[in-house]
Amino acid sequence: MNTNSKAIEDITEGIQTKEDFESFLLLLIEDLKKKSDWENNNLESYLRGLYGFVKDISGYYKNLRENIDTHKPSWRILADILLAARVYE
C-alpha cells in the first residue's frame, strides 16, 4: 500500500495485509489529531457511527458498485468501517 500524498479516504482500497492495516491505523491516529473531518470526535459518537455503518455496510459497497462480501471481513473492510465511523450517523 502506497500512502504517499494520498488522502486517508483514498487508501482503503489498497489495504490487503495486516501490515497495510497497521499503517492505516497510524494515519487514522494522525487524522484524529487534526480532527479536520471528524464529526464523531468522542468515543460514544464514534462507536455509534461505527454501529450505524456496520449495519448499512452492504448498501455502502452496493452504492460504490463494488462486489464485496461483507460477511467475510477483510483488512480493507475493517479500515473502511473505522474510517466511516468518523462521520457516519
Side-chain angles (χ1 to χ4, degrees):
M1 175 182 69
N2 180 4
T3 60
N4 295 340
S5 73
K6 285 188 175 181
I8 192 169
E9 296 83 4
D10 298 330
I11 66 168
T12 60
E13 288 181 17
I15 296 174
Q16 297 178 359
T17 66
K18 178 181 171 287
E19 291 76 18
D20 291 343
F21 184 71
E22 290 169 358
S23 296
F24 165 79
L25 286 176
L26 292 174
L27 292 173
L28 192 63
I29 291 166
E30 290 303 312
D31 194 63
L32 174 61
K33 288 179 184 177
K34 295 176 197 170
K35 291 189 180 179
S36 55
D37 295 327
W38 286 69
E39 291 177 28
N40 299 326
N41 58 11
N42 65 60
L43 183 57
E44 181 179 355
S45 64
Y46 184 79
L47 291 174
R48 288 186 187 278
L50 193 74
Y51 171 77
F53 186 75
V54 168
K55 278 187 71 172
D56 297 337
I57 195 167
S58 294
Y60 170 76
Y61 289 118
K62 184 178 179 182
N63 287 340
L64 292 178
R65 301 183 199 281
E66 292 192 41
N67 187 19
I68 293 180
D69 185 354
T70 57
H71 295 286
K72 295 181 182 178
S74 65
W75 292 114
R76 180 209 170 163
I77 290 174
L78 186 53
D80 284 336
I81 291 168
L82 294 177
L83 188 63
R86 300 175 313 156
V87 295
Y88 202 86
E89 294 182 19

